Amino acid sequence: MPRTTSSIALSSFLGIASLLSGCASTAVSRGPELPVTRAVLYQNGIGYFERRGKLSEDVLHLRVRPDQIRDFLKSLTVVDLGSGRATSIALPVEKSRAQTLTDLPEQVRTEGGLLAIAQAFRGARVVVDGERRVVGRLVGVENLGGAPKNDWRLSVLTDGGALAQLSVEKIKDIKILDGTLEVGLKKALDAALDAGSWKSVDVTVRLAGGGTHDLVVSYVVEMPAWKPAYRLVIDDKAQGRSLLQGWAVVDNLSGDDWKNISLSLTAGTPLAFTYDLYTPRMPRRPHLEARDEISQVPLDAFQSSGGIASTEQSRDDADRAPMEESIAPPSVSTPSMAPAKSKKAGLESEYRRGARADAAMAPPPPPRPPAAVTSADLERNFRTLVAGSTVGSLFRYDIAEPITVAERQSALVNVINAKVAGEDALLFRVGQDQVSPYRVVRFANDSGFVLESGPIAIYRSGEGGGTFLGEALAQRIEKGASTFLPYALDGRVRVQLSEEDREEGVQLLRIVHGVITCETKRVTRWKYDVDNGTGEATTMYVRRDRRPGWKVVGQSKMVEEGGAYFVPIALPKSGRTKVEVEEQTPVRRDVDIWDDYGRQVIGLYLKGANVDPKVAPALKEILALRERVDRIEAQLATAEEQRQAQSERQGEVRENLKALGKSNANADLKRKLETTLGELETGLNDVTRRTVQLSIDRSEARDRLSVLIKNIDMTTVR
């Protein structure tokens, strides 16, 4: 018979009303259940599971925890790899706890105990078996003794009409003869027990086709995220290669024991959400009444609570109740760097035997220290059976060997054991670190795996054995990415900072309608003065946030990571090291060709090597005319000063002549003043004529400049 494959999703059967309605009341005998064979755990709190096996019956039973049923329903798939197929999937459907209590008689919703139930069931027919047997209706309960000695009595109206009192202490049982109250009490107890929050939900899958069914059942449910941890061992003899080891802590809260399953761990966070397909939805319907039966409708009827405008039924909070059963923390040991077994005991017993034989015998040499654990020992003893693969945007660790983890237990799974590029260095973060840098491992993830965020323990392996250096918390590190892992502050290294800002270099970009567009370089020089007191030659990386539009020049070995750059500084064993790091950014300006700065820009352009021969003569003439205009304006300023001085002198001479009047006694003085006044007038006329001529020359030069500027339209080639 040819092999056929058919699959069925649960959502295909949720619409079969007759099947689902019968599941709630029909008891199904337990049958075989498929074991879990594969699990894929994610970082966002979900797990994908597969169950595989062969089934000779036509009914498959699955047990699902109530807290998992919602995810289970929206992801369940059943595949028959043989000739059969799944025809229906059924599960019990119950009303929510809130609605169950709402449907019960009021007397049984909250009461408990014999006295409370007897009081709540007042008026019900009962059979009371106590000091005597009485059949009748409950009247009530009262205390005839009072505190501190209570004497509770149950009053029953017998069928004969008598009122009987029975001592509560002597009552053996009470049988309720009202069937409605009896059923209601049982339902109230079931709801109070909230059986659905801890008992498993039985899912029944019916199969067609006959014979043996080769089944694969898959689904997604909520699971704890797996937790990674790493160890990085710096080996002084490995020439820049370090040992990276990683393991994952896996928690089994799936509800089943994992026995020799295939386990995968996924790095990444796929989109996942919760959606309730299990709880029945009972939409609220409007309540209508005939208008002729209502005498008057209140004005606020449609704004009030209840009645016509009743609010939506509250959601069943019992469905969100946490598991009451506590989870004991697993006892798991983390791989450690334990030294080899010491030979001290053997040496001491040998010494005692020698001491008894000869008291004068010289003491033996001291015992040798335990053998040091090297990175090679760690690598050899840390077996990794993992294959890495990329699935969409996720990275998956596929554990090669079967994994066994009991329910409510945790396990450590080795996932990485590889040599990677890693060196011990220093890191100084400008703006974050004050004076001293951090000890770091410059780490390149060339392991072939994506590393999820987790703690990394840093060790050094050398002549003296393994030494713990510190711990770092790494963010997610992609394959091939590099990062710095700080693990300790080193106060033996001191860093002093200073900076210098300036502008240099002017480049003409274009001239349009007398507006010059030019570009200059704004330069910042960072100066680092580092005093290394460690006694070891090392490299210190200086980290700075990258400024938009700025670039670092002259640093070929610079490392970039995200929005920051790292400049390496080689430090000798001791002494001070001074290093300058320069950043540059272009600055554009628009200036008028008449400005002095514009003239400087044109002069620098004409001195450069990339001068446009078509515009060079005009630019040279512009510079010459600008110099001529400057000279004319200087001469005009001098002439104006002379004119002003002579004008003021004329005023003074005229005032003196006016003071002398017409007297003949001052005739000589008056003649001298009149001669001086004539000379001043002649000089003033000369200055005026010169000023007029200079103004004419300036106007002609400016007119020529305007014509030249108007005809220049150039853009330099960069």
Side-chain angles (χ1 to χ4, degrees), residues 333-651:
S333 60
T334 304
S336 60
M337 299 182 63
K341 185 177 180 182
S342 174
K343 299 180 180 179
K344 183 176 180 180
L347 291 175
E348 288 182 350
S349 72
E350 180 180 347
Y351 170 68
R352 294 191 186 96
R353 290 195 300 269
R356 288 194 299 268
D358 187 359
M361 180 180 179
R368 292 179 297 176
V373 177
T374 65
S375 62
D377 297 329
L378 285 172
E379 185 177 6
R380 184 176 60 255
N381 285 271
F382 197 93
R383 186 181 183 189
T384 305
L385 295 172
V386 176
S389 60
T390 300
V391 182
S393 61
L394 309 176
F395 185 86
R396 192 176 67 203
Y397 299 93
D398 296 320
I399 313 301
E401 284 190 345
I403 300 297
T404 298
V405 185
E407 159 69 359
R408 299 190 181 277
Q409 294 292 323
S410 297
L412 289 178
V413 180
N414 299 340
V415 293
I416 298 176
N417 188 34
K419 287 293 187 69
V420 297
E423 62 170 340
D424 194 15
L426 296 170
L427 175 64
F428 185 81
R429 300 169 298 178
V430 177
Q432 300 182 48
D433 303 332
Q434 299 297 323
V435 178
S436 298
Y438 276 85
R439 282 281 172 182
V440 299
V441 175
R442 185 190 173 193
F443 166 62
N445 183 18
D446 53 4
S447 64
F449 296 90
V450 176
L451 306 184
E452 276 294 305
S453 175
I456 300 181
I458 311 296
Y459 292 85
R460 181 188 294 277
S461 176
E463 296 293 340
T467 303
F468 174 74
L469 301 180
E471 291 181 320
L473 182 61
Q475 301 301 318
R476 178 184 171 95
I477 306 175
E478 300 290 341
K479 291 189 295 183
S482 298
T483 188
F484 291 83
L485 303 175
Y487 62 83
L489 184 67
D490 198 333
R492 300 171 297 174
V493 182
R494 314 286 288 182
V495 182
Q496 294 182 1
L497 299 178
S498 61
E499 65 177 281
E500 174 185 316
D501 289 306
R502 71 174 188 277
E503 283 192 10
E504 62 183 29
V506 179
Q507 184 177 4
L508 188 148
L509 300 181
R510 64 177 176 267
I511 302 176
V512 179
H513 302 301
V515 178
I516 300 175
T517 301
C518 60
E519 184 176 275
T520 63
K521 287 189 301 183
R522 183 174 297 169
V523 179
T524 301
R525 279 197 174 93
W526 311 102
K527 299 180 180 180
Y528 304 95
D529 188 350
V530 186
D531 186 4
N532 182 16
T534 63
E536 299 178 359
T538 185
T539 300
M540 185 182 79
Y541 290 86
V542 177
R543 180 193 183 278
R544 271 193 180 275
D545 292 332
R546 181 173 290 281
R547 296 185 289 177
W550 291 75
K551 68 176 181 178
V552 183
V553 297
Q555 298 293 332
S556 59
K557 297 182 179 180
M558 180 181 67
V559 179
E560 296 191 50
E561 178 184 328
Y565 67 87
F566 301 78
V567 176
I569 300 177
L571 301 180
K573 292 184 178 180
S574 61
R576 304 173 74 93
T577 303
K578 296 183 179 180
V579 176
E580 292 185 358
V581 179
E582 182 176 298
E583 292 186 23
Q584 298 179 356
T585 186
V587 178
R588 287 195 175 187
R589 292 179 179 174
D590 291 333
V591 297
D592 197 286
I593 200 170
W594 294 97
D595 295 342
D596 290 338
Y597 190 77
R599 182 172 58 181
Q600 296 175 13
V601 172
I602 293 176
L604 292 173
Y605 171 71
L606 292 175
K607 293 179 181 179
N610 300 321
V611 180
D612 188 351
K614 296 181 180 180
V615 297
L619 293 177
K620 291 178 181 180
E621 187 176 356
I622 287 175
L623 290 182
L625 288 173
R626 286 285 290 118
E627 292 177 359
R628 183 183 175 188
V629 169
D630 290 344
R631 288 194 303 269
I632 293 174
E633 288 181 345
Q635 293 173 1
L636 281 171
T638 302
E640 180 63 25
E641 291 176 358
Q642 293 175 355
R643 190 192 66 78
Q644 184 68 27
Q646 291 178 358
S647 178
E648 292 176 357
R649 180 61 178 153
Q650 275 186 330

Side-chain angles (χ1 to χ4, degrees), residues 227-278:
K227 302 174 287 292
Y230 307 96
R231 172 169 52 213
L232 188 64
V233 183
I234 304 171
D235 194 341
D236 296 337
K237 300 180 181 180
Q239 299 179 350
R241 303 295 292 178
S242 299
L243 176 63
L244 175 66
Q245 296 179 329
W247 54 91
V249 179
V250 177
D251 306 312
N252 181 8
L253 296 180
S254 65
D256 294 273
D257 292 336
W258 298 345
K259 297 180 180 179
N260 296 324
I261 71 167
S262 173
L263 179 64
S264 297
L265 308 176
T266 300
T269 306
L271 181 63
F273 53 86
T274 60
Y275 194 85
D276 189 3
L277 292 174
Y278 180 62

Side-chain angles (χ1 to χ4, degrees), residues 142-159:
E142 58 182 337
N143 185 7
L144 299 181
K149 185 177 181 180
N150 296 321
D151 183 13
W152 291 97
R153 297 298 180 98
L154 178 67
S155 299
V156 180
L157 180 62
T158 65
D159 292 342

